[in-house]
Amino acid sequence: MTVDRAAAAQWAERRRHWHAASPAERIARLESAGRANRATVLRTIAHAGLGHVGGDLSVTDILVTLFEGVLRIDPEQPGLPGRDRFILSKGHCAAALYSVLSSCGFFPATRLAHFAGPLSPLNGHPNREKIPGVETNTGPLGHGLPVAVGCATAAQLAGQDWRTYVVLGDGELQEGSNWEAAMYAGHRRLASLTAIVDRNRLQQGASTEATNDLEPLGDKWRAFGWEVITVDGHSHAALLEAFERPRNERPRAVIAQTVKGKGVSFMENGVEWHHKVPGAEQVAAALAELGEA
């Protein structure tokens, strides 16, 4: 797919004004982008007839904050050597990532109509060979953090200042490969690495605590040598502060307390919305609630 130069130019203009904007203006912009991207996710999944809408909506504010206010990237040059790396380890929430990537101009938003279609590059899980802005293929859980650790190690060895951010689902932390990677990252003191846990406490079919209790989650990351920050994962101000806080010599874990289905009252905290698809009337009601009808 090719870049949407008009959308990329608009994104670049937003970023040029970012540093001059007041804190209140920045948050207002992020909140507006969050609502718009939630609406796009709902339309995309409803049109495709499949997806993981609950997790998409819980992770949206994290993605919007990163792509609109934090990541050093260039949608017109997705392979720029000095770019920050972003990895969505919970790859089943691809619709949210695609929505944000298209809003930045990595590819035209019109392509979202082909999400999960036959031979579409916009598969149900991100593919780096087909989609600009995707750093690595994800979907099988427990793979994203190890790859992110590899990226951060490469930056450390090369003496480069680019940063790596990876978003994990909380249920995904039941995969042992994450803790092997976390142990290595702590050992290497990969200070350029940030792991963000989308802590919505629900996974496919049940709560994380009913499946395999993760608590005390923060203490576990600390035991592996990480700095830990716990925030409201729907507060753009809290997320920005966590991402921009001065670094020490340790990798950083941001535990983002989120709500599955956030923004749509009848979806919030509903485990059935892990991969349930809303009907036309539900989409209309959800868009009205978001103010994006």
Side-chain angles (χ1 to χ4, degrees):
M1 292 193 293
T2 57
V3 65
D4 182 339
R5 297 196 180 280
Q10 292 171 358
W11 176 86
E13 185 69 12
R14 295 197 299 271
R15 290 301 292 268
R16 276 192 291 271
H17 287 96
W18 178 259
H19 294 292
S22 68
E25 184 180 359
R26 290 181 181 182
I27 300 308
R29 290 182 183 183
L30 293 173
E31 289 175 348
S32 177
R35 290 190 296 271
N37 278 280
R38 282 188 169 86
T40 299
V41 165
L42 287 162
R43 293 187 179 105
T44 299
I45 287 177
H47 183 269
L50 59 86
H52 293 82
V53 67
D56 284 311
L57 298 182
S58 75
V59 79
T60 294
D61 292 318
I62 298 168
L63 299 184
V64 164
T65 302
L66 286 169
F67 278 86
E68 290 291 328
V70 176
L71 295 176
R72 299 179 303 200
I73 51 175
D74 183 351
E76 296 200 60
Q77 302 180 79
L80 196 67
R83 71 192 182 280
D84 286 343
R85 273 63 169 174
F86 172 77
I87 295 169
L88 180 67
S89 190
K90 49 177 290 182
H92 55 286
C93 291
L97 177 61
Y98 298 159
S99 174
V100 172
L101 288 176
S102 66
S103 72
C104 297
F106 281 95
F107 59 85
T110 54
R111 297 300 298 269
L112 294 173
H114 303 284
F115 171 60
L119 303 180
S120 171
L122 297 175
N123 202 338
H125 297 107
N127 187 328
R128 70 178 301 273
E129 298 293 333
K130 298 179 179 180
I131 307 167
V134 172
E135 294 289 347
T136 190
N137 295 20
T138 54
L141 299 177
H143 289 193
L145 182 59
V147 173
V149 167
C151 292
T153 301
Q156 186 185 69
L157 291 173
Q160 299 298 310
D161 68 350
W162 46 265
R163 305 164 301 182
T164 302
Y165 296 83
V166 55
V167 171
L168 305 104
D170 50 1
E172 180 180 5
L173 292 179
Q174 295 159 2
E175 300 279 355
S177 54
N178 288 304
W179 300 107
E180 294 176 32
M183 179 170 57
Y184 180 82
H187 170 72
R188 294 283 310 200
R189 294 184 173 270
L190 299 179
S192 67
L193 174 63
T194 301
I196 305 114
V197 180
D198 182 8
R199 186 73 167 112
N200 62 36
R201 298 180 179 272
L202 293 174
Q203 58 191 97
Q204 181 171 315
S207 70
T208 53
E209 276 52 54
T211 306
N212 194 6
D213 194 357
L214 295 169
E215 295 299 337
L217 185 55
D219 289 343
K220 290 175 181 175
W221 285 99
R222 292 185 188 95
F224 282 86
W226 291 58
E227 175 193 16
V228 178
I229 304 172
T230 300
V231 300
D232 177 350
H234 300 301
S235 167
H236 298 288
L239 288 166
L240 278 175
E241 194 279 330
F243 297 146
E244 295 176 345
R245 185 180 297 183
R247 310 293 304 212
N248 55 32
E249 295 184 353
R250 294 181 291 165
R252 175 173 294 169
V254 177
I255 301 177
Q257 304 283 5
T258 60
V259 175
K260 199 152 192 168
K262 177 67 175 178
V264 180
S265 58
F266 60 85
M267 292 184 181
E268 289 186 354
N269 287 317
V271 70
E272 70 274 16
W273 289 103
H274 181 77
H275 48 50
K276 181 178 177 180
V277 177
E281 291 185 1
Q282 290 174 313
V283 171
L287 294 176
E289 189 172 341
L290 290 167
E292 296 286 335

